[in-house]
């Protein structure tokens, strides 16, 4: 998954990756950027936050799937049992994964 957690700091870091700053409310108390760029405007920051929220929300299915997939060792054990029983097409592992993907479909 390739997304940032939405927020002011992550928005500023994505807009000015090398900048160092101190921020209180919407005031930059200190700003230092090696390439000499100015702080981003609040319109830029708010726009980036909105973009990040949209991407973050899009990947909700993946975060939910990841939680339910659980321990990979458990999955490997299910897969091993299915291999040993010759049941790779519709064994317990395949059913387990399919149930999660159906419960949390890709948007």
């Amino acid at each position: 998954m390739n997304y940032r957690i939405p927020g002011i700091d992550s928005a500023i870091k994505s807009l000015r990756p090398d900048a160092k700053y101190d921020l209180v409310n919407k005031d930059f108390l200190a700003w230092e950027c090696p390439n000499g760029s100015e702080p981003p405007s609040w319109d830029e920051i708010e726009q980036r936050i909105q973009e990040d929220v949209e991407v973050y929300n899009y990947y909700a299915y993946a975060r939910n799937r990841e939680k339910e997939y659980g321990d990979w060792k458990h999955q490997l054990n299910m897969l091993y049992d299915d291999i040993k029983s010759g049941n790779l097409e519709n064994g317990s592992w395949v059913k387990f994964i399919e149930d999660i993907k159906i419960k949390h479909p890709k948007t």
Side-chain angles (χ1 to χ4, degrees):
M1 292 178 285
N2 188 16
Y3 60 84
R4 288 182 294 275
I5 304 295
I8 293 171
D9 285 327
S10 62
I12 294 169
K13 279 291 185 196
S14 72
L15 292 165
R16 307 289 192 276
D18 298 324
K20 295 178 183 173
Y21 59 91
D22 288 323
L23 184 69
V24 174
N25 296 321
K26 289 187 172 186
D27 296 320
F28 287 98
L29 301 179
W31 179 263
E32 181 184 323
C33 194
N35 67 8
S37 65
E38 294 295 315
S41 70
W42 280 101
D43 286 340
E44 288 177 285
I45 294 169
E46 288 169 354
Q47 175 65 35
R48 183 55 53 94
I49 291 171
Q50 182 58 41
E51 292 167 3
D52 289 350
V53 165
E54 290 170 13
V55 171
Y56 184 82
N57 288 342
Y58 172 82
Y59 285 107
Y61 79 91
R63 290 189 307 277
N64 291 330
R65 284 181 181 181
E66 188 175 335
K67 285 180 202 171
E68 292 204 35
Y69 286 150
D71 181 32
W72 60 269
K73 293 174 190 173
H74 175 68
Q75 285 191 44
L76 283 175
N77 191 50
M78 282 193 289
L79 190 56
Y80 172 81
D81 292 342
D82 289 346
I83 290 169
K84 291 302 273 184
S85 68
N87 195 9
L88 289 177
E89 292 296 317
N90 59 359
S92 62
W93 181 79
V94 169
K95 289 177 183 175
F96 175 75
I97 297 299
E98 283 179 348
D99 287 347
I100 292 171
K101 288 185 177 221
I102 289 168
K103 187 175 179 183
H104 304 288
K106 194 173 194 177
T107 52

